[in-house]
Amino acid sequence: GESVGLHLPTLSVQEGDNSIINCAYSNSASDYFIWYKQESGKGPQFIIDIRSNMDKRQGQRVTVLLNKTVKHLSLQIAATQPGDSAVYFCAPGGNMLTFGGGTRLMVKP
Amino acid sequence: NAGVTQTPKFQVLKTGQSMTLQCAQDMNHNSMYWYRQDPGMGLRLIYYSASEGTTDKGEVPNGYNVSRLNKREFSLRLESAAPSQTSVYFCASSVEWVRGYNEQFFGPGTRLTVL
């Protein structure tokens, strides 16, 4: 089965700095990836997705990079704000989404 | 447009009791899902329904049953609750069960404690 892991369980950044959250995956056949944000006490919320035929995709203040050679994803958040504090999951898509343990982002004012 | 709704929000059960968690979506989605999330962990898929009339097991189906009542509603039943089923349960839906594109919309969760 799919194995999804994150390099850092907790990331603490200063408000206004950029954040980078990393994610590794094991199944080289994965062709679609989603990043979710989960705030405390709430369900996960879609942030951005990327297909395997892309290396980079940008949204509003967020950028996802995909390196298929090393099976690695990163989520970059520009000018991190207190409202960005949450747990972030990457989930390889396909028939089923597989969620890893997540990375907790803490934003210091 | 409420999205995905779940009831109840909180529930405490005694070991051996049964209950049904309700989920409804108003986005006309074909596919629906039940996940559980244990403290400090990601979500694990319990059951899913690719379309109305079909249900399939996910990663951790033991101890649970589901019913896709209609296109809108997907319920999760615990027949005989066990402390190991203490968790937060999330329902989700997506437009289609399509490989390569599966953005899921999640409900607010049900926090279940089994004593």
Side-chain angles (χ1 to χ4, degrees), chain B residues 61-111:
Chain B
N62 291 344
Y64 305 95
N65 284 300
V66 291
S67 295
R68 184 74 182 268
L69 304 170
N70 48 55
K71 190 172 185 178
R72 290 186 64 249
E73 298 172 287
F74 189 38
S75 63
L76 178 71
R77 182 160 179 83
L78 286 71
E79 290 291 351
S80 179
S84 61
Q85 294 179 304
T86 294
S87 190
V88 181
Y89 291 85
F90 290 100
C91 177
S93 69
S94 66
V95 174
E96 292 284 356
W97 178 264
V98 176
R99 178 169 177 77
Y101 183 75
N102 195 14
E103 179 185 349
Q104 294 181 17
F105 296 81
F106 286 82
T110 294
R111 283 146 187 81

Side-chain angles (χ1 to χ4, degrees), chain A residues 8-10 16-17 25 30 33 36 41 48 51 55 67 74 82-83 85 92 96 98 102 105 108:
Chain A
L8 296 173
T10 303
D17 287 351
Y25 62 96
S30 296
F33 303 86
Y36 281 91
I48 191 168
R51 298 181 188 276
D55 297 322
N67 185 330
S74 68
S85 294
M96 282 190 243
T98 305
L105 176 64
K108 296 178 288 186

Side-chain angles (χ1 to χ4, degrees), chain B residues 4-64:
Chain B
V4 179
T5 57
Q6 294 182 236
T7 56
K9 286 186 167 50
F10 301 93
Q11 184 71 48
V12 178
L13 294 176
K14 294 181 180 178
T15 297
Q17 288 185 316
S18 62
M19 79 160 296
T20 300
L21 281 64
Q22 306 287 353
C23 174
Q25 52 90 10
D26 62 2
M27 296 174 282
N28 201 34
H29 286 173
N30 287 302
S31 302
M32 298 185 74
Y33 314 82
W34 276 105
Y35 292 89
R36 62 176 287 174
Q37 184 176 35
D38 299 315
M41 297 182 66
L43 286 82
R44 292 184 291 171
L45 184 64
I46 305 171
Y47 270 94
Y48 66 95
S49 171
S51 61
E52 186 179 357
T54 68
T55 60
D56 286 285
K57 295 178 180 179
E59 182 184 357
V60 288
N62 291 344
Y64 305 95

Side-chain angles (χ1 to χ4, degrees), chain A:
Chain A
E2 180 65 74
S3 172
V4 177
L6 292 120
H7 296 308
L8 296 173
T10 303
L11 177 64
S12 184
V13 300
Q14 202 70 38
E15 181 179 357
D17 287 351
N18 297 333
S19 303
I20 300 176
I21 300 170
N22 297 304
C23 177
Y25 62 96
S26 61
N27 186 353
S28 57
S30 296
D31 54 7
Y32 176 67
F33 303 86
I34 303 179
W35 280 96
Y36 281 91
K37 170 186 180 183
Q38 186 176 23
E39 296 176 78
S40 181
K42 297 184 178 180
Q45 180 182 12
F46 173 90
I47 303 174
I48 191 168
D49 58 3
I50 187 168
R51 298 181 188 276
S52 60
N53 61 353
M54 305 169 69
D55 297 322
K56 178 180 180 179
R57 190 166 189 211
Q58 287 185 290
Q60 187 176 14
R61 282 201 307 117
V62 294
T63 301
V64 57
L65 300 178
L66 174 60
N67 185 330
K68 294 180 286 294
T69 302
V70 295
K71 293 184 282 190
H72 181 270
L73 285 145
S74 68
L75 177 71
Q76 301 178 359
I77 304 174
T80 311
Q81 302 170 359
D84 295 326
S85 294
V87 176
Y88 290 81
F89 298 94
C90 75
N95 287 343
M96 282 190 243
L97 294 180
T98 305
F99 292 82
T103 293
R104 180 174 301 280
L105 176 64
M106 300 174 63
V107 182
K108 296 178 288 186

